Amino acid sequence: MQSNFDVAIIGGGPAGSTVATLLKKYNPRLSVVVLERERFPRDHVGESQLPSISHILAEMGVWDKVEAAGFPIKIGATYRWGRTEELWDFEFIADGAFRPVDRPSKFVGQRTQTAFQVDRAIYDKILLDHARSMGCEVREETAVRTVERDDDRVTRLVLENGDAIIAKHYVDATGHAGLLRRAMGVGVTAPTSLQNVAIWDYWRNADWAVSIGVGGTRVQVLSLKHGWIWFIPLGPDRTSIGLIVPAAYLKEQGRRPADLYAEAVQSDPLVRELIRNATRESEAGAVHTTKDWSFLADRLAGENWFLAGESAGFADPILAAGMALTHAGARMVAYSILELERNAMEAEWLREYYSTNHRSQIRQHVRFADFWYTANGVFSDLQAHASVIAADAGFDLTAEEAWRWLGQGGFIEHTSGTNLGGCGLLIAKEIVGAFTGEAAPYVIVGKTHFRTNLEGAEKKWMAEMGGGRITRMRMYEREGKVLPMVGLTAYLTQLLKTEKSFAELARMPVPSLALNDGVVDPAKAQIEVLKTLDALVADGWVVARTDPNAAAFPLVNLDFSAVVHANRDVRETVAEG
C-alpha cells in the first residue's frame, strides 16, 4: 500500500515532534506523517534543558502541558570544575534569585528564564501526543526499512511491512542513527579530538542537592580525576546519574562500564551522600552506555530533505546543549518547509541558510565544550588528553588566549545573538576567569574612539523567524564571521559609520527597538550595549583606538556574583548529612 503526504518525518522524538507541530500550527492544510519505530513512552538519555527550549515549547503551544507534568524547574547548575575543587553555581535568572512559585505556573516573568529537567519517557510522549492533537498522523511501531533516492532527491520510504510513503518533503529526525543521512551519503566530521563514553542509570528516592520552592533545583556537574558525573533530578523520586569518561580511558582500564560507574558514584562524597537512601532501577551490574562524542554532518539539507536534531550533529553534553540544539534546529526546518510551500523565496537559499547557520551553532557549542575540558585543572588522568585538545586549537591557557580561541568562530551569531555555548557573552567571560584564575579581557577597555569597519565584507541575506514566517534581513560576512543588521548590532553599526568617542556613546540613549528582547531598563540596556560593542570589536566589525587626550572606556567591573557564584547550598547539604 502507498500513502502520499506533504511532509514525512522519520522519528518521533523532540526533533520530529517540533517540526510536525510547527508545520501544522502555521499551515493546518499540510498533511504531515510522523514515523516512529518504537512505542512511546520509552526511556532516553538527555534530560537537562536550557531556557531557549521553553520559548520554543511556548510557540508550539505545549509548554503548559510540559509544566503540568511537574518536572523539576531547572534554575541553573552547580559545578565542581576548573582550577579549584570548590563548588560554584551558574544561574539562568539575571539577578540570580529564583522566587518560589506555585505549580503549575504560567510562562511569564522569571519562568521565561528557566528550563526543565525532564524524564524523557514522559516528555517525549507529551510532545508526540501534542503533534497528534495538532492533526499530524503519527504511526508508532513503524520502522522505515529503506530510503529510496534519485541522485539528491528522496523518492519514497519503504516501511518494514512493505508499505511505501511518498512525500514532497522528508525530514530525518532519527538521532545518531541518521537513517536518511546515511542513505543520502552525507558524511560526518568530528570537529574535536574529544571522544567520550556515557555510562548512566536511574535512581529512586535520591535526595536533591538543592531544593528551591516547589520543584526548583540545579543539576550537578562534578569533575573526577578521570571524567565527570552528572546528577539530574527528573521528578520527586527519580534521578538520572551518569558518568562521562574518554573512550580511550575506558579501553585502557579494561574493566566493565558497570564497575567503573559503581566506583565513580561511590567515590564522590557529594553523590555518595545524596544516594545513601536510594536504589537503582537497573539490575545489579547493568548500566546504560552510549558513545557521546561530538560530530557534525557535512550538510543538513538536500533537494527535498532536511536533517533535524541529532541526525544533523551532536555537541558534548557538558553544556546541556543537546536538546536546545535539537529544538532550535527542528524549528528552523519547520520554518524552511513552510516557506518552500509558499514558494516566495529561493529554495536553494533556504536550504543553504539552514545548513550553514545550524552547522555554525553546533560547531560553536563544540568549541565551548572543548574549552571546558581543556581548562579543567582537576583532571589528573586527562592532562595529556586535554593538551591534545589545546594543541588542536592552537592556544595555551592564559585567559587572553583562551578567550581569543573561544571567539574564533565569531562572537556574533547569524541570529544576532551574542551567546556562546548557551551562556551570555559577559557571563562566559566570568566563566573563563573562573577556569583560568585570570580576568577575561574586555577588548573595549581603555579605548576612546570607535568606528565601523566593513572593509572586505560581503553583503548577504540572513533569516529572522517568527509567526511561521521567515523574513530576510541584511547581514555582512567576512572570514567566517557574521554581522546581522538587526537589533543592537545594526544600531551600533550604523551609528559608528562616523567615528564616535566613548564620551559621545555614553550620552546616547539606546532606542528600545534596537533591543531584541525588549529590554528597556537603563541598567540592562547599558549591559546589552556593552556586550554588543565588545563583540563587534572582538570580531573586527568595529575598530577601536585610544587617544591619550580623550576619556577612555573604563575598566569593566560588572557584578555577576548573583549569576556565577560560590555555592553554599550543596556544601551545607553534605555537612548536614
CSV table of all heavy atoms in Angstrom, one decimal, residues 11 21 32 47 94 127 130 136 205 222 241 259 341 351 407 410 420 430 440 454-455 469 486 504 507 520 559:
chain,number,residue,atom,x,y,z
A,11,GLY,N,11.1,9.6,12.7
A,11,GLY,CA,11.5,9.8,14.1
A,11,GLY,C,10.5,10.7,14.9
A,11,GLY,O,10.2,11.8,14.4
A,21,THR,N,4.7,19.7,14.8
A,21,THR,CA,3.8,20.6,15.4
A,21,THR,C,3.8,22.0,14.8
A,21,THR,O,2.7,22.6,14.6
A,21,THR,CB,4.1,20.7,16.9
A,21,THR,OG1,3.9,19.5,17.6
A,21,THR,CG2,3.3,21.8,17.6
A,32,VAL,N,0.9,15.8,7.3
A,32,VAL,CA,2.2,15.5,7.9
A,32,VAL,C,2.1,14.1,8.6
A,32,VAL,O,1.1,13.9,9.4
A,32,VAL,CB,2.6,16.6,9.0
A,32,VAL,CG1,3.9,16.2,9.6
A,32,VAL,CG2,2.6,18.0,8.3
A,47,GLU,N,18.4,14.6,29.5
A,47,GLU,CA,17.2,15.1,30.3
A,47,GLU,C,17.3,16.6,30.6
A,47,GLU,O,16.3,17.2,31.0
A,47,GLU,CB,17.0,14.3,31.6
A,47,GLU,CG,16.9,12.8,31.3
A,47,GLU,CD,18.2,12.0,31.5
A,47,GLU,OE1,19.2,12.7,31.6
A,47,GLU,OE2,18.1,10.8,31.6
A,94,ALA,N,18.6,36.4,35.6
A,94,ALA,CA,19.6,37.5,35.5
A,94,ALA,C,20.1,38.0,36.9
A,94,ALA,O,21.2,38.3,37.0
A,94,ALA,CB,19.0,38.7,34.7
A,127,LEU,N,5.2,15.5,23.8
A,127,LEU,CA,5.4,16.2,22.6
A,127,LEU,C,4.8,15.5,21.4
A,127,LEU,O,4.2,16.1,20.5
A,127,LEU,CB,6.9,16.4,22.4
A,127,LEU,CG,7.4,17.8,22.8
A,127,LEU,CD1,7.2,18.0,24.3
A,127,LEU,CD2,9.0,17.9,22.5
A,130,HIS,N,1.1,15.7,21.5
A,130,HIS,CA,0.7,17.1,21.1
A,130,HIS,C,0.7,17.2,19.6
A,130,HIS,O,-0.2,17.8,19.0
A,130,HIS,CB,1.6,18.1,21.7
A,130,HIS,CG,1.2,19.5,21.5
A,130,HIS,ND1,0.1,20.1,22.0
A,130,HIS,CD2,1.8,20.5,20.7
A,130,HIS,CE1,0.0,21.4,21.6
A,130,HIS,NE2,1.1,21.6,20.8
A,136,CYS,N,-1.4,15.9,13.1
A,136,CYS,CA,-0.4,15.1,12.4
A,136,CYS,C,-0.8,13.6,12.5
A,136,CYS,O,-1.4,13.2,13.5
A,136,CYS,CB,1.0,15.3,13.0
A,136,CYS,SG,1.6,16.9,13.0
A,205,ASN,N,14.4,7.7,44.8
A,205,ASN,CA,14.5,8.2,46.1
A,205,ASN,C,15.9,8.8,46.5
A,205,ASN,O,16.2,8.8,47.7
A,205,ASN,CB,14.1,7.2,47.2
A,205,ASN,CG,12.6,6.7,46.9
A,205,ASN,OD1,11.7,7.5,46.7
A,205,ASN,ND2,12.4,5.4,47.0
A,222,LEU,N,30.0,17.4,38.2
A,222,LEU,CA,31.1,17.2,39.2
A,222,LEU,C,32.3,16.5,38.6
A,222,LEU,O,32.2,15.3,38.1
A,222,LEU,CB,30.6,16.4,40.4
A,222,LEU,CG,29.3,17.0,41.1
A,222,LEU,CD1,28.8,15.9,42.0
A,222,LEU,CD2,29.6,18.3,41.8
A,241,ILE,N,21.7,9.7,37.0
A,241,ILE,CA,23.1,9.9,37.4
A,241,ILE,C,24.0,9.2,36.4
A,241,ILE,O,23.8,8.0,36.1
A,241,ILE,CB,23.4,9.3,38.8
A,241,ILE,CG1,22.4,9.9,39.8
A,241,ILE,CG2,24.8,9.6,39.2
A,241,ILE,CD1,22.6,9.3,41.2
A,259,ASP,N,31.3,-1.5,36.4
A,259,ASP,CA,32.2,-1.4,37.5
A,259,ASP,C,32.8,0.0,37.7
A,259,ASP,O,32.9,0.5,38.8
A,259,ASP,CB,33.3,-2.4,37.4
A,259,ASP,CG,32.8,-3.9,37.4
A,259,ASP,OD1,31.8,-4.1,38.1
A,259,ASP,OD2,33.5,-4.7,36.8
A,341,GLU,N,6.8,25.9,0.9
A,341,GLU,CA,5.4,25.7,0.4
A,341,GLU,C,4.8,27.0,-0.1
A,341,GLU,O,4.0,26.9,-1.0
A,341,GLU,CB,4.6,25.1,1.6
A,341,GLU,CG,4.8,23.7,1.9
A,341,GLU,CD,4.3,22.8,0.7
A,341,GLU,OE1,3.1,22.9,0.4
A,341,GLU,OE2,5.1,22.1,0.1
A,351,ARG,N,17.6,26.3,1.9
A,351,ARG,CA,18.3,25.1,2.3
A,351,ARG,C,19.7,25.4,2.8
A,351,ARG,O,20.2,24.9,3.8
A,351,ARG,CB,18.3,24.0,1.2
A,351,ARG,CG,16.9,23.4,0.9
A,351,ARG,CD,17.1,22.2,-0.1
A,351,ARG,NE,17.4,22.7,-1.4
A,351,ARG,CZ,16.5,22.8,-2.4
A,351,ARG,NH1,15.3,22.7,-2.2
A,351,ARG,NH2,16.9,23.2,-3.6
A,407,GLY,N,36.5,32.9,20.6
A,407,GLY,CA,36.0,33.9,19.6
A,407,GLY,C,36.3,33.5,18.2
A,407,GLY,O,35.9,34.2,17.3
A,410,GLY,N,33.5,33.4,15.9
A,410,GLY,CA,32.6,34.6,15.8
A,410,GLY,C,31.8,34.7,17.1
A,410,GLY,O,31.1,33.8,17.4
A,420,LEU,N,27.2,32.3,23.7
A,420,LEU,CA,28.2,31.4,23.4
A,420,LEU,C,28.0,30.1,24.2
A,420,LEU,O,28.0,30.2,25.5
A,420,LEU,CB,29.6,32.0,23.7
A,420,LEU,CG,30.8,31.3,23.1
A,420,LEU,CD1,30.7,31.4,21.6
A,420,LEU,CD2,32.1,32.0,23.5
A,430,GLU,N,33.1,35.6,32.6
A,430,GLU,CA,33.3,35.3,34.0
A,430,GLU,C,33.7,33.9,34.2
A,430,GLU,O,34.5,33.5,35.1
A,430,GLU,CB,32.0,35.6,34.8
A,430,GLU,CG,31.5,37.1,34.7
A,430,GLU,CD,32.5,38.0,35.3
A,430,GLU,OE1,33.0,37.7,36.4
A,430,GLU,OE2,32.9,39.0,34.7
A,440,ALA,N,39.0,37.7,32.4
A,440,ALA,CA,39.0,37.6,30.9
A,440,ALA,C,38.9,39.0,30.4
A,440,ALA,O,38.3,39.9,30.9
A,440,ALA,CB,37.7,36.9,30.5
A,454,LEU,N,33.7,47.8,7.7
A,454,LEU,CA,33.1,46.7,6.8
A,454,LEU,C,34.0,46.4,5.6
A,454,LEU,O,33.5,45.7,4.7
A,454,LEU,CB,31.7,47.2,6.3
A,454,LEU,CG,30.7,47.5,7.4
A,454,LEU,CD1,29.4,48.0,6.7
A,454,LEU,CD2,30.4,46.3,8.3
A,455,GLU,N,35.2,46.8,5.6
A,455,GLU,CA,36.1,46.6,4.5
A,455,GLU,C,36.3,45.1,4.3
A,455,GLU,O,36.6,44.3,5.2
A,455,GLU,CB,37.5,47.2,4.8
A,455,GLU,CG,38.4,47.1,3.6
A,455,GLU,CD,39.8,47.8,3.9
A,455,GLU,OE1,39.9,48.5,4.9
A,455,GLU,OE2,40.7,47.7,3.0
A,469,ARG,N,6.8,32.7,9.7
A,469,ARG,CA,7.4,33.3,8.5
A,469,ARG,C,8.9,33.6,8.7
A,469,ARG,O,9.3,33.9,9.8
A,469,ARG,CB,6.7,34.6,8.2
A,469,ARG,CG,5.2,34.6,7.9
A,469,ARG,CD,4.9,33.7,6.7
A,469,ARG,NE,5.6,34.0,5.5
A,469,ARG,CZ,5.1,34.7,4.5
A,469,ARG,NH1,3.9,35.2,4.6
A,469,ARG,NH2,5.8,35.0,3.4
A,486,VAL,N,20.4,43.7,12.4
A,486,VAL,CA,19.2,43.8,13.2
A,486,VAL,C,19.6,44.1,14.7
A,486,VAL,O,20.7,44.0,15.1
A,486,VAL,CB,18.4,42.4,13.3
A,486,VAL,CG1,17.9,42.0,11.9
A,486,VAL,CG2,19.3,41.3,13.8
A,504,GLU,N,30.8,60.4,23.7
A,504,GLU,CA,29.6,60.6,23.0
A,504,GLU,C,28.6,59.4,23.1
A,504,GLU,O,27.4,59.5,23.2
A,504,GLU,CB,29.9,60.7,21.5
A,504,GLU,CG,30.6,62.1,21.2
A,504,GLU,CD,31.0,62.1,19.7
A,504,GLU,OE1,31.9,61.3,19.3
A,504,GLU,OE2,30.5,63.0,19.0
A,507,ARG,N,26.6,59.2,26.3
A,507,ARG,CA,25.5,60.2,26.4
A,507,ARG,C,24.3,59.8,25.6
A,507,ARG,O,23.2,60.3,25.8
A,507,ARG,CB,25.9,61.6,26.0
A,507,ARG,CG,26.9,62.2,26.9
A,507,ARG,CD,27.0,63.7,26.6
A,507,ARG,NE,27.5,64.0,25.3
A,507,ARG,CZ,28.8,64.1,25.0
A,507,ARG,NH1,29.7,64.1,25.9
A,507,ARG,NH2,29.2,64.3,23.7
A,520,VAL,N,14.2,47.5,28.4
A,520,VAL,CA,14.1,49.0,28.4
A,520,VAL,C,14.7,49.5,29.7
A,520,VAL,O,15.0,50.7,29.8
A,520,VAL,CB,12.6,49.4,28.3
A,520,VAL,CG1,12.1,49.1,26.9
A,520,VAL,CG2,11.8,48.8,29.4
A,559,ASP,N,29.1,43.3,38.3
A,559,ASP,CA,29.0,42.4,39.4
A,559,ASP,C,28.1,41.2,38.9
A,559,ASP,O,26.8,41.4,38.8
A,559,ASP,CB,28.4,43.0,40.6
A,559,ASP,CG,28.3,42.0,41.8
A,559,ASP,OD1,28.8,40.9,41.7
A,559,ASP,OD2,27.6,42.4,42.8
